[in-house]
Amino acid sequence: MSETIDPAPWATARDANLANWEERVALHEVGYGLDAFDDPTHLSDVVRADLPALTAHLPGGTVSGLDLCHLQCHIGTDTLSFARLGARVTGVDFSPAALESAKRLAARLGLEATWVEADVQAARAAVTGDFDVVYTSIGTITWFPDLATWARQISALLRPGGVFYIRDGHPMLYALDDEADAPVVRYPYFGGGDPIVFDEDTTYVGEGTVKNSRTYQWIHPISSVMTALLDAGLRITAVDEGRILPWQFAARMIEVPGGWVWPEAERDLIPCTVTIVARRD
C-alpha cells in the first residue's frame, strides 16, 4: 500500500472512490457471507453490536415500527437487518452496483426496503419522507470532506424527536501507521483539509483485488464531527469510545468474539471506535 497527501478537487476524489466501491461489490458479496442471511434470525455483526447503544435512545427500546434511513448502506446487509427487526427501511448509497446487490438480497430474503442512489451529502433532496432514525456505521465519514453539509442532511431527514446514530472508526485509529509493529502516528489526527490518497488493490473483507485501487479519504477529529452535528441543530445525547473493531485494521490486531482488538498491553492506549448519538428536538 502506498499513500500521499493530495489537495485533489472533490469531483476527482469522488469519482475515484466510486470506481473503487463499484468494484468492491462482487468481492463483498462473498466476503460478507450472505448465505448466513438465509437464516431468518440472522443479523449483521455491525447491527448486532450497534443495537444496544441505539435502542437505549428509542421509544420502547426497539426499532420495530420506526422509519429508519441508513446512509451509506453499501450492499444492504445492515439495512436489511433492521428490516428484520421490524423497521421500515430506506438505504442510501452512491454506488449503483451496491444498490443492485442490496435489491437482490432483499428480494431473496423477502424483505421490503427502499433504495436510493445518492451521495450522502445530497441525501435530503434525493430521499422522500422523514425518519425516526438516521443511521450510519463503520467506515463512513472518511469518504468525504464536508461534515457541515453531511450534518445538515441528517438534521433535515429526521423528524422532530428523531435520533441520529453513528459508530465509526476512531480518528485516532486512522492517524496510526497500520504497518508498524508498535503504536506510531503516521497521519495528522486533525486532518488539515486535504485527503490522504491510498493505492491499495485489496479491501477490508473478501479475497481478490480491484483495478481501481486509488481512493481518497479524510480524517475528521471528534471535535469536528460533534461541532457539525451541533451546528446542524442536533442535541448530542451520548458519546462512547470502543476497544473492538469489526475489521482488522492492522496485522498485529487479534481476533476476538465480535471483531478485532489491539494486543492486550495496548488496548487501553488506542481507541478503535467512536459512537455518537444525537437527537433533533
mmCIF file with all atom_site columns, all heavy atoms in Angstrom, residues 110-129:
data_model
loop_
_atom_site.group_PDB
_atom_site.id
_atom_site.type_symbol
_atom_site.label_atom_id
_atom_site.label_alt_id
_atom_site.label_comp_id
_atom_site.label_asym_id
_atom_site.label_entity_id
_atom_site.label_seq_id
_atom_site.pdbx_PDB_ins_code
_atom_site.Cartn_x
_atom_site.Cartn_y
_atom_site.Cartn_z
_atom_site.occupancy
_atom_site.B_iso_or_equiv
_atom_site.pdbx_formal_charge
_atom_site.auth_seq_id
_atom_site.auth_comp_id
_atom_site.auth_asym_id
_atom_site.auth_atom_id
_atom_site.pdbx_PDB_model_num
ATOM 1   N N   . GLY A 1 110 ? -37.038 -11.822 0.926  1.00 0.00 ? 110 GLY A N   1
ATOM 2   C CA  . GLY A 1 110 ? -38.433 -11.453 1.084  1.00 0.00 ? 110 GLY A CA  1
ATOM 3   C C   . GLY A 1 110 ? -38.633 -10.280 2.025  1.00 0.00 ? 110 GLY A C   1
ATOM 4   O O   . GLY A 1 110 ? -39.645 -10.196 2.728  1.00 0.00 ? 110 GLY A O   1
ATOM 5   N N   . LEU A 1 111 ? -37.683 -9.326  2.022  1.00 0.00 ? 111 LEU A N   1
ATOM 6   C CA  . LEU A 1 111 ? -37.753 -8.174  2.904  1.00 0.00 ? 111 LEU A CA  1
ATOM 7   C C   . LEU A 1 111 ? -38.018 -6.908  2.090  1.00 0.00 ? 111 LEU A C   1
ATOM 8   O O   . LEU A 1 111 ? -37.498 -6.749  0.984  1.00 0.00 ? 111 LEU A O   1
ATOM 9   C CB  . LEU A 1 111 ? -36.446 -8.009  3.683  1.00 0.00 ? 111 LEU A CB  1
ATOM 10  C CG  . LEU A 1 111 ? -36.134 -9.124  4.684  1.00 0.00 ? 111 LEU A CG  1
ATOM 11  C CD1 . LEU A 1 111 ? -34.709 -8.971  5.212  1.00 0.00 ? 111 LEU A CD1 1
ATOM 12  C CD2 . LEU A 1 111 ? -37.135 -9.118  5.831  1.00 0.00 ? 111 LEU A CD2 1
ATOM 13  N N   . GLU A 1 112 ? -38.811 -6.012  2.649  1.00 0.00 ? 112 GLU A N   1
ATOM 14  C CA  . GLU A 1 112 ? -39.131 -4.764  1.968  1.00 0.00 ? 112 GLU A CA  1
ATOM 15  C C   . GLU A 1 112 ? -38.136 -3.673  2.350  1.00 0.00 ? 112 GLU A C   1
ATOM 16  O O   . GLU A 1 112 ? -37.790 -3.522  3.525  1.00 0.00 ? 112 GLU A O   1
ATOM 17  C CB  . GLU A 1 112 ? -40.551 -4.315  2.328  1.00 0.00 ? 112 GLU A CB  1
ATOM 18  C CG  . GLU A 1 112 ? -41.629 -5.224  1.764  1.00 0.00 ? 112 GLU A CG  1
ATOM 19  C CD  . GLU A 1 112 ? -43.014 -4.646  1.955  1.00 0.00 ? 112 GLU A CD  1
ATOM 20  O OE1 . GLU A 1 112 ? -43.116 -3.468  2.373  1.00 0.00 ? 112 GLU A OE1 1
ATOM 21  O OE2 . GLU A 1 112 ? -43.989 -5.369  1.698  1.00 0.00 ? 112 GLU A OE2 1
ATOM 22  N N   . ALA A 1 113 ? -37.704 -2.939  1.353  1.00 0.00 ? 113 ALA A N   1
ATOM 23  C CA  . ALA A 1 113 ? -36.785 -1.822  1.585  1.00 0.00 ? 113 ALA A CA  1
ATOM 24  C C   . ALA A 1 113 ? -36.874 -0.877  0.405  1.00 0.00 ? 113 ALA A C   1
ATOM 25  O O   . ALA A 1 113 ? -37.187 -1.289  -0.722 1.00 0.00 ? 113 ALA A O   1
ATOM 26  C CB  . ALA A 1 113 ? -35.352 -2.314  1.744  1.00 0.00 ? 113 ALA A CB  1
ATOM 27  N N   . THR A 1 114 ? -36.600 0.392   0.652  1.00 0.00 ? 114 THR A N   1
ATOM 28  C CA  . THR A 1 114 ? -36.483 1.392   -0.399 1.00 0.00 ? 114 THR A CA  1
ATOM 29  C C   . THR A 1 114 ? -35.008 1.714   -0.571 1.00 0.00 ? 114 THR A C   1
ATOM 30  O O   . THR A 1 114 ? -34.292 1.917   0.414  1.00 0.00 ? 114 THR A O   1
ATOM 31  C CB  . THR A 1 114 ? -37.252 2.672   -0.018 1.00 0.00 ? 114 THR A CB  1
ATOM 32  O OG1 . THR A 1 114 ? -38.635 2.348   0.150  1.00 0.00 ? 114 THR A OG1 1
ATOM 33  C CG2 . THR A 1 114 ? -37.103 3.743   -1.083 1.00 0.00 ? 114 THR A CG2 1
ATOM 34  N N   . TRP A 1 115 ? -34.558 1.758   -1.827 1.00 0.00 ? 115 TRP A N   1
ATOM 35  C CA  . TRP A 1 115 ? -33.152 2.018   -2.104 1.00 0.00 ? 115 TRP A CA  1
ATOM 36  C C   . TRP A 1 115 ? -33.026 3.289   -2.930 1.00 0.00 ? 115 TRP A C   1
ATOM 37  O O   . TRP A 1 115 ? -33.755 3.478   -3.914 1.00 0.00 ? 115 TRP A O   1
ATOM 38  C CB  . TRP A 1 115 ? -32.524 0.843   -2.863 1.00 0.00 ? 115 TRP A CB  1
ATOM 39  C CG  . TRP A 1 115 ? -32.731 -0.467  -2.167 1.00 0.00 ? 115 TRP A CG  1
ATOM 40  C CD1 . TRP A 1 115 ? -33.612 -1.453  -2.518 1.00 0.00 ? 115 TRP A CD1 1
ATOM 41  C CD2 . TRP A 1 115 ? -32.067 -0.930  -0.983 1.00 0.00 ? 115 TRP A CD2 1
ATOM 42  N NE1 . TRP A 1 115 ? -33.534 -2.502  -1.634 1.00 0.00 ? 115 TRP A NE1 1
ATOM 43  C CE2 . TRP A 1 115 ? -32.603 -2.214  -0.675 1.00 0.00 ? 115 TRP A CE2 1
ATOM 44  C CE3 . TRP A 1 115 ? -31.094 -0.395  -0.150 1.00 0.00 ? 115 TRP A CE3 1
ATOM 45  C CZ2 . TRP A 1 115 ? -32.174 -2.960  0.416  1.00 0.00 ? 115 TRP A CZ2 1
ATOM 46  C CZ3 . TRP A 1 115 ? -30.668 -1.135  0.943  1.00 0.00 ? 115 TRP A CZ3 1
ATOM 47  C CH2 . TRP A 1 115 ? -31.204 -2.405  1.216  1.00 0.00 ? 115 TRP A CH2 1
ATOM 48  N N   . VAL A 1 116 ? -32.114 4.171   -2.532 1.00 0.00 ? 116 VAL A N   1
ATOM 49  C CA  . VAL A 1 116 ? -31.960 5.472   -3.176 1.00 0.00 ? 116 VAL A CA  1
ATOM 50  C C   . VAL A 1 116 ? -30.490 5.669   -3.543 1.00 0.00 ? 116 VAL A C   1
ATOM 51  O O   . VAL A 1 116 ? -29.613 5.595   -2.680 1.00 0.00 ? 116 VAL A O   1
ATOM 52  C CB  . VAL A 1 116 ? -32.423 6.610   -2.253 1.00 0.00 ? 116 VAL A CB  1
ATOM 53  C CG1 . VAL A 1 116 ? -32.208 7.962   -2.932 1.00 0.00 ? 116 VAL A CG1 1
ATOM 54  C CG2 . VAL A 1 116 ? -33.888 6.433   -1.862 1.00 0.00 ? 116 VAL A CG2 1
ATOM 55  N N   . GLU A 1 117 ? -30.240 5.952   -4.826 1.00 0.00 ? 117 GLU A N   1
ATOM 56  C CA  . GLU A 1 117 ? -28.883 6.246   -5.284 1.00 0.00 ? 117 GLU A CA  1
ATOM 57  C C   . GLU A 1 117 ? -28.615 7.734   -5.121 1.00 0.00 ? 117 GLU A C   1
ATOM 58  O O   . GLU A 1 117 ? -29.252 8.560   -5.764 1.00 0.00 ? 117 GLU A O   1
ATOM 59  C CB  . GLU A 1 117 ? -28.707 5.835   -6.736 1.00 0.00 ? 117 GLU A CB  1
ATOM 60  C CG  . GLU A 1 117 ? -27.304 6.070   -7.274 1.00 0.00 ? 117 GLU A CG  1
ATOM 61  C CD  . GLU A 1 117 ? -27.187 5.759   -8.751 1.00 0.00 ? 117 GLU A CD  1
ATOM 62  O OE1 . GLU A 1 117 ? -27.970 4.919   -9.260 1.00 0.00 ? 117 GLU A OE1 1
ATOM 63  O OE2 . GLU A 1 117 ? -26.321 6.383   -9.419 1.00 0.00 ? 117 GLU A OE2 1
ATOM 64  N N   . ALA A 1 118 ? -27.700 8.073   -4.230 1.00 0.00 ? 118 ALA A N   1
ATOM 65  C CA  . ALA A 1 118 ? -27.372 9.482   -3.994 1.00 0.00 ? 118 ALA A CA  1
ATOM 66  C C   . ALA A 1 118 ? -26.103 9.571   -3.179 1.00 0.00 ? 118 ALA A C   1
ATOM 67  O O   . ALA A 1 118 ? -25.803 8.695   -2.370 1.00 0.00 ? 118 ALA A O   1
ATOM 68  C CB  . ALA A 1 118 ? -28.509 10.192  -3.248 1.00 0.00 ? 118 ALA A CB  1
ATOM 69  N N   . ASP A 1 119 ? -25.363 10.664  -3.375 1.00 0.00 ? 119 ASP A N   1
ATOM 70  C CA  . ASP A 1 119 ? -24.279 10.987  -2.460 1.00 0.00 ? 119 ASP A CA  1
ATOM 71  C C   . ASP A 1 119 ? -24.876 11.325  -1.104 1.00 0.00 ? 119 ASP A C   1
ATOM 72  O O   . ASP A 1 119 ? -25.931 11.962  -1.014 1.00 0.00 ? 119 ASP A O   1
ATOM 73  C CB  . ASP A 1 119 ? -23.488 12.188  -2.964 1.00 0.00 ? 119 ASP A CB  1
ATOM 74  C CG  . ASP A 1 119 ? -22.518 11.828  -4.070 1.00 0.00 ? 119 ASP A CG  1
ATOM 75  O OD1 . ASP A 1 119 ? -22.568 10.683  -4.545 1.00 0.00 ? 119 ASP A OD1 1
ATOM 76  O OD2 . ASP A 1 119 ? -21.716 12.686  -4.460 1.00 0.00 ? 119 ASP A OD2 1
ATOM 77  N N   . VAL A 1 120 ? -24.203 10.941  -0.058 1.00 0.00 ? 120 VAL A N   1
ATOM 78  C CA  . VAL A 1 120 ? -24.713 11.228  1.279  1.00 0.00 ? 120 VAL A CA  1
ATOM 79  C C   . VAL A 1 120 ? -24.862 12.730  1.495  1.00 0.00 ? 120 VAL A C   1
ATOM 80  O O   . VAL A 1 120 ? -25.750 13.184  2.240  1.00 0.00 ? 120 VAL A O   1
ATOM 81  C CB  . VAL A 1 120 ? -23.805 10.586  2.347  1.00 0.00 ? 120 VAL A CB  1
ATOM 82  C CG1 . VAL A 1 120 ? -22.425 11.220  2.367  1.00 0.00 ? 120 VAL A CG1 1
ATOM 83  C CG2 . VAL A 1 120 ? -24.428 10.657  3.720  1.00 0.00 ? 120 VAL A CG2 1
ATOM 84  N N   . GLN A 1 121 ? -24.031 13.524  0.849  1.00 0.00 ? 121 GLN A N   1
ATOM 85  C CA  . GLN A 1 121 ? -24.081 14.976  1.023  1.00 0.00 ? 121 GLN A CA  1
ATOM 86  C C   . GLN A 1 121 ? -25.219 15.629  0.253  1.00 0.00 ? 121 GLN A C   1
ATOM 87  O O   . GLN A 1 121 ? -25.412 16.847  0.325  1.00 0.00 ? 121 GLN A O   1
ATOM 88  C CB  . GLN A 1 121 ? -22.735 15.585  0.644  1.00 0.00 ? 121 GLN A CB  1
ATOM 89  C CG  . GLN A 1 121 ? -21.625 15.182  1.612  1.00 0.00 ? 121 GLN A CG  1
ATOM 90  C CD  . GLN A 1 121 ? -20.269 15.688  1.193  1.00 0.00 ? 121 GLN A CD  1
ATOM 91  O OE1 . GLN A 1 121 ? -19.840 15.486  0.068  1.00 0.00 ? 121 GLN A OE1 1
ATOM 92  N NE2 . GLN A 1 121 ? -19.582 16.343  2.113  1.00 0.00 ? 121 GLN A NE2 1
ATOM 93  N N   . ALA A 1 122 ? -26.002 14.817  -0.463 1.00 0.00 ? 122 ALA A N   1
ATOM 94  C CA  . ALA A 1 122 ? -27.195 15.313  -1.141 1.00 0.00 ? 122 ALA A CA  1
ATOM 95  C C   . ALA A 1 122 ? -28.404 14.441  -0.802 1.00 0.00 ? 122 ALA A C   1
ATOM 96  O O   . ALA A 1 122 ? -29.371 14.375  -1.562 1.00 0.00 ? 122 ALA A O   1
ATOM 97  C CB  . ALA A 1 122 ? -26.975 15.341  -2.647 1.00 0.00 ? 122 ALA A CB  1
ATOM 98  N N   . ALA A 1 123 ? -28.363 13.793  0.336  1.00 0.00 ? 123 ALA A N   1
ATOM 99  C CA  . ALA A 1 123 ? -29.377 12.799  0.681  1.00 0.00 ? 123 ALA A CA  1
ATOM 100 C C   . ALA A 1 123 ? -30.765 13.404  0.847  1.00 0.00 ? 123 ALA A C   1
ATOM 101 O O   . ALA A 1 123 ? -31.768 12.810  0.444  1.00 0.00 ? 123 ALA A O   1
ATOM 102 C CB  . ALA A 1 123 ? -28.967 12.056  1.943  1.00 0.00 ? 123 ALA A CB  1
ATOM 103 N N   . ARG A 1 124 ? -30.860 14.591  1.456  1.00 0.00 ? 124 ARG A N   1
ATOM 104 C CA  . ARG A 1 124 ? -32.179 15.144  1.731  1.00 0.00 ? 124 ARG A CA  1
ATOM 105 C C   . ARG A 1 124 ? -32.975 15.364  0.450  1.00 0.00 ? 124 ARG A C   1
ATOM 106 O O   . ARG A 1 124 ? -34.186 15.080  0.399  1.00 0.00 ? 124 ARG A O   1
ATOM 107 C CB  . ARG A 1 124 ? -32.048 16.461  2.508  1.00 0.00 ? 124 ARG A CB  1
ATOM 108 C CG  . ARG A 1 124 ? -33.356 17.218  2.768  1.00 0.00 ? 124 ARG A CG  1
ATOM 109 C CD  . ARG A 1 124 ? -34.371 16.462  3.616  1.00 0.00 ? 124 ARG A CD  1
ATOM 110 N NE  . ARG A 1 124 ? -35.095 15.432  2.887  1.00 0.00 ? 124 ARG A NE  1
ATOM 111 C CZ  . ARG A 1 124 ? -36.018 14.649  3.419  1.00 0.00 ? 124 ARG A CZ  1
ATOM 112 N NH1 . ARG A 1 124 ? -36.319 14.763  4.701  1.00 0.00 ? 124 ARG A NH1 1
ATOM 113 N NH2 . ARG A 1 124 ? -36.622 13.727  2.701  1.00 0.00 ? 124 ARG A NH2 1
ATOM 114 N N   . ALA A 1 125 ? -32.338 15.869  -0.575 1.00 0.00 ? 125 ALA A N   1
ATOM 115 C CA  . ALA A 1 125 ? -33.038 16.124  -1.829 1.00 0.00 ? 125 ALA A CA  1
ATOM 116 C C   . ALA A 1 125 ? -33.433 14.840  -2.545 1.00 0.00 ? 125 ALA A C   1
ATOM 117 O O   . ALA A 1 125 ? -34.410 14.815  -3.299 1.00 0.00 ? 125 ALA A O   1
ATOM 118 C CB  . ALA A 1 125 ? -32.164 16.978  -2.748 1.00 0.00 ? 125 ALA A CB  1
ATOM 119 N N   . ALA A 1 126 ? -32.712 13.757  -2.302 1.00 0.00 ? 126 ALA A N   1
ATOM 120 C CA  . ALA A 1 126 ? -32.940 12.510  -3.030 1.00 0.00 ? 126 ALA A CA  1
ATOM 121 C C   . ALA A 1 126 ? -33.953 11.593  -2.357 1.00 0.00 ? 126 ALA A C   1
ATOM 122 O O   . ALA A 1 126 ? -34.561 10.745  -3.023 1.00 0.00 ? 126 ALA A O   1
ATOM 123 C CB  . ALA A 1 126 ? -31.614 11.764  -3.186 1.00 0.00 ? 126 ALA A CB  1
ATOM 124 N N   . VAL A 1 127 ? -34.120 11.732  -1.061 1.00 0.00 ? 127 VAL A N   1
ATOM 125 C CA  . VAL A 1 127 ? -34.925 10.789  -0.282 1.00 0.00 ? 127 VAL A CA  1
ATOM 126 C C   . VAL A 1 127 ? -36.290 11.394  0.014  1.00 0.00 ? 127 VAL A C   1
ATOM 127 O O   . VAL A 1 127 ? -36.405 12.553  0.411  1.00 0.00 ? 127 VAL A O   1
ATOM 128 C CB  . VAL A 1 127 ? -34.204 10.428  1.034  1.00 0.00 ? 127 VAL A CB  1
ATOM 129 C CG1 . VAL A 1 127 ? -35.085 9.545   1.912  1.00 0.00 ? 127 VAL A CG1 1
ATOM 130 C CG2 . VAL A 1 127 ? -32.880 9.726   0.734  1.00 0.00 ? 127 VAL A CG2 1
ATOM 131 N N   . THR A 1 128 ? -37.335 10.592  -0.147 1.00 0.00 ? 128 THR A N   1
ATOM 132 C CA  . THR A 1 128 ? -38.698 11.016  0.156  1.00 0.00 ? 128 THR A CA  1
ATOM 133 C C   . THR A 1 128 ? -39.034 10.729  1.613  1.00 0.00 ? 128 THR A C   1
ATOM 134 O O   . THR A 1 128 ? -38.722 9.653   2.124  1.00 0.00 ? 128 THR A O   1
ATOM 135 C CB  . THR A 1 128 ? -39.698 10.281  -0.747 1.00 0.00 ? 128 THR A CB  1
ATOM 136 O OG1 . THR A 1 128 ? -39.397 10.574  -2.115 1.00 0.00 ? 128 THR A OG1 1
ATOM 137 C CG2 . THR A 1 128 ? -41.126 10.695  -0.445 1.00 0.00 ? 128 THR A CG2 1
ATOM 138 N N   . GLY A 1 129 ? -39.669 11.680  2.282  1.00 0.00 ? 129 GLY A N   1
ATOM 139 C CA  . GLY A 1 129 ? -40.152 11.456  3.641  1.00 0.00 ? 129 GLY A CA  1
ATOM 140 C C   . GLY A 1 129 ? -39.140 11.844  4.696  1.00 0.00 ? 129 GLY A C   1
ATOM 141 O O   . GLY A 1 129 ? -38.017 12.266  4.405  1.00 0.00 ? 129 GLY A O   1
#
